[in-house]
Amino acid sequence: MAMDDPEVTLQEQMFHNAVRELIISLLLFISLYVVSYVTLCQFRRRADNEDMYAGEEDAAVYRISLWLCTATLSVSVGAVLLLPISIISNEVLLLYPDSYYIKWLNSSLIQGLWNHVFFFSNLALFILMPFAYFFTEAEGFSGSRKGLMSRVKEASLVLFLLGILVMGLAYVASAIISGDESTKQTLSDVWHEHLPYLYSCISFIGVLVLLMCTPVGVARMFTVMGQLIVKPQFLRGIEDELSRLRLQEEHLLRKITYRNGPCQISNGHGYSSIESLMETLEDTRKAVSKLVSRQHISFWRRNLCYPLVMLLLLAITVFSILIVLQNTFLLLVGTKALPRGASDAVLGISSLSSLGPFGAALQIVVILYLMVASVVGFYSLPYLCNLQPKRADTSMVKIILNCVVILLLSSALPILSKTLGITNFDLVGNFGSMDWLGNFYIILLYNILFAVSTALCLFTKFTSAVRREIYDRLNAAFQRGKKTSTQPPHAPSANTLQVTNSKSETLKEE
């Protein structure tokens, strides 16, 4: 009887859908958490023993902070993958609309993922990361009993006071901007009004950071890929470099073998310790082994991989600039709507690109490329490059700062993609509840600045060598002309002076 009741059947269906979505979200989060934990373990400063923590208490603080950073990095990766997963889901549903095995891939699941990422982004940005930093710096209240709970209480109290300060500033800023309408809100609207407004401000800052980092990273990507990929033989003389490194290795071995003292030896400019020379020798041997391994790479990989990758990067960059220019033109004409406001997108209705699945694949490539370029550009900026993590030598404070930076950039990536017109996928969840997205002048100016700065960085990258050579030639010509102008016009030579003196002496004798 119960199965024949349509209301019960609908409730059961809703229950099973909710359970399925939670299981998929949980499995996705666990996978991202494992990958993030392995990644952070590669960069964190390794401890040979627990003595460096000055006790088991410091070791527990370190582990808890690492777990919080891992959760934050997992949310960041999830925010980066939101748009690609949504675009792929839409195209798969278009290709197989009646397939039983992909019925679970629906709009409800995608919207749930967006809402979960928004919630955990707020949680990590405003609670987890500040608590992790205060927790690592806490020592417990003075006069209280030392222990792990004392540090937890101190970190929680400092975080609570900081939260009151930030929320108060956000309330004042909202009241100033919105006028009397916002001043009528009470503290009960913190979650629904002020926290999304504060997240909107943070996302706006993230979009501005992306505007600074992405053009620089686009130009820097060519250098980074050139370091990772084996260059062709005509661009890099492996034999000459290998010969030079082997000579350097022999020279270091000779200096270590025939040392002048038990602890120090001369290096021509002063005295260097044997330990430093041994480290230099080890680095030289690693470089030699790397070049020897590159010698055994096939001809096709050595001579075709590098040009193809450089052409692919150039094509993606030019395609991105063209997309931004097209979006700017459509905004000026008035045929493109502003990205303000979120709407629940229904998957499987139409393709997100006029080119079909191929265009959707291009959108995914451009989105991921911009994210990688923004991270590379951030670590290439002055002063900010000091935050770049080092393999097996990154402190916990620096890991926390890097996780905050990655979370900020990844949370702003969906907004950047919609603002630049890279994808037409509507922002679902609370990612789209941002008033500044409806300002025509901000969106238009952002598109123009992004296109111009990216084009200038790309032009500077490919013409830097030519401009440097022209400058050196002009500088050399100017120096030669300066020397010629400062030389006396009729400076007598030594022979002329000798003849003149001999003539004067002859006249005196006569």
Side-chain angles (χ1 to χ4, degrees), residues 18-302:
V19 171
R20 181 177 65 247
E21 292 173 5
L22 289 177
I23 292 176
I24 294 174
S25 302
L26 183 61
L27 291 177
L28 181 61
F29 177 77
I30 292 175
S31 303
L32 295 179
Y33 189 91
V34 172
V35 174
S36 302
Y37 184 79
V38 173
T39 303
L40 290 181
C41 288
Q42 296 297 321
F43 288 99
R44 69 182 178 88
R45 185 172 294 168
R46 301 183 183 279
D48 297 333
N49 47 41
E50 297 294 335
D51 295 337
M52 69 168 291
Y53 298 116
E56 183 64 29
E57 181 181 335
D58 289 341
V61 171
Y62 184 88
R63 286 193 295 268
I64 294 174
S65 301
L66 182 63
W67 296 339
L68 296 179
C69 292
T70 305
T72 303
L73 187 59
S74 304
V75 175
S76 304
V77 178
V80 173
L81 297 178
L82 272 178
L83 275 177
I85 290 177
S86 303
I87 295 173
I88 292 174
S89 302
N90 183 72
E91 299 301 323
V92 169
L93 288 175
L94 283 175
L95 292 176
Y96 306 100
D98 299 327
S99 177
Y100 173 78
Y101 298 99
I102 60 172
K103 288 293 184 181
W104 56 272
L105 198 62
N106 50 25
S107 303
S108 177
L109 173 63
I110 300 301
Q111 185 177 358
L113 290 176
W114 282 77
N115 290 328
H116 290 158
V117 169
F118 172 77
F119 171 76
F120 286 108
S121 297
N122 282 285
L123 183 67
L125 188 61
F126 298 119
I127 297 180
L128 296 185
M129 287 295 93
F131 179 81
Y133 175 76
F134 294 139
F135 193 44
T136 54
E137 299 294 328
E139 296 180 356
F141 296 106
S142 59
S144 62
R145 185 177 180 181
K146 299 296 181 181
L148 188 63
M149 290 305 300
S150 179
R151 292 190 177 189
V152 172
K153 293 178 181 178
E154 180 183 354
S156 302
L157 179 60
V158 175
L159 180 62
F160 177 73
L161 296 177
L162 179 64
I164 293 177
L165 176 62
V166 173
M167 293 304 299
L169 293 176
Y171 182 83
V172 173
S174 177
I176 292 174
I177 295 174
S178 301
D180 296 335
E181 181 181 353
S182 180
T183 56
K184 298 178 181 178
Q185 305 296 334
T186 60
L187 292 178
S188 61
D189 296 327
V190 167
W191 181 261
H192 299 287
E193 296 291 338
H194 303 298
L195 188 59
Y197 174 78
L198 183 61
Y199 187 79
S200 174
C201 297
I202 297 297
S203 299
F204 182 72
I205 295 175
V207 171
L208 293 181
V209 174
L210 285 177
L211 180 61
M212 294 188 301
C213 299
T214 307
V216 178
V218 166
R220 180 67 178 168
M221 282 291 291
F222 293 90
T223 304
V224 173
M225 295 304 296
Q227 295 173 354
L228 296 177
I229 301 175
V230 179
K231 294 183 179 180
Q233 196 69 29
F234 60 87
L235 292 179
R236 179 180 182 183
I238 298 181
E239 297 292 340
D240 297 338
E241 191 172 354
L242 187 59
S243 301
R244 181 182 61 81
L245 289 175
R246 283 176 174 170
L247 288 175
Q248 183 179 355
E249 181 183 2
E250 294 178 1
H251 177 64
L252 291 172
L253 283 173
R254 190 178 298 108
K255 291 175 69 175
I256 294 174
T257 303
Y258 302 101
R259 58 185 181 274
N260 296 328
C263 296
Q264 292 183 345
I265 60 174
S266 175
N267 60 357
H269 303 283
Y271 288 90
S272 300
S273 62
I274 297 178
E275 289 79 7
S276 63
L277 286 175
M278 292 296 294
E279 292 179 359
T280 307
L281 179 62
E282 185 67 23
D283 295 338
T284 306
R285 286 177 174 174
K286 290 181 180 179
V288 169
S289 62
K290 186 180 296 184
L291 288 178
V292 170
S293 62
R294 290 195 172 192
Q295 277 186 324
H296 297 87
I297 295 177
S298 63
F299 171 81
W300 299 105
R301 180 183 174 187
R302 184 172 61 248

Side-chain angles (χ1 to χ4, degrees), residues 83 203-204 207 210-211 323-328 331 336-340 412-425 427 431 434 436-448 450:
L83 275 177
S203 299
F204 182 72
V207 171
L210 285 177
L211 180 61
I323 290 178
V324 178
L325 292 177
Q326 180 189 8
N327 187 63
T328 305
L331 286 173
K336 185 66 176 291
L338 294 174
R340 181 182 180 179
L413 181 64
I415 308 172
L416 174 74
S417 303
K418 184 64 176 180
T419 303
L420 298 180
I422 297 175
T423 178
N424 294 324
F425 190 84
L427 298 175
F431 270 99
M434 301 174 187
W436 61 269
L437 290 175
N439 193 312
F440 173 78
Y441 297 102
I442 292 179
I443 302 301
L444 180 63
L445 181 61
Y446 191 90
N447 280 264
I448 294 174
F450 187 89

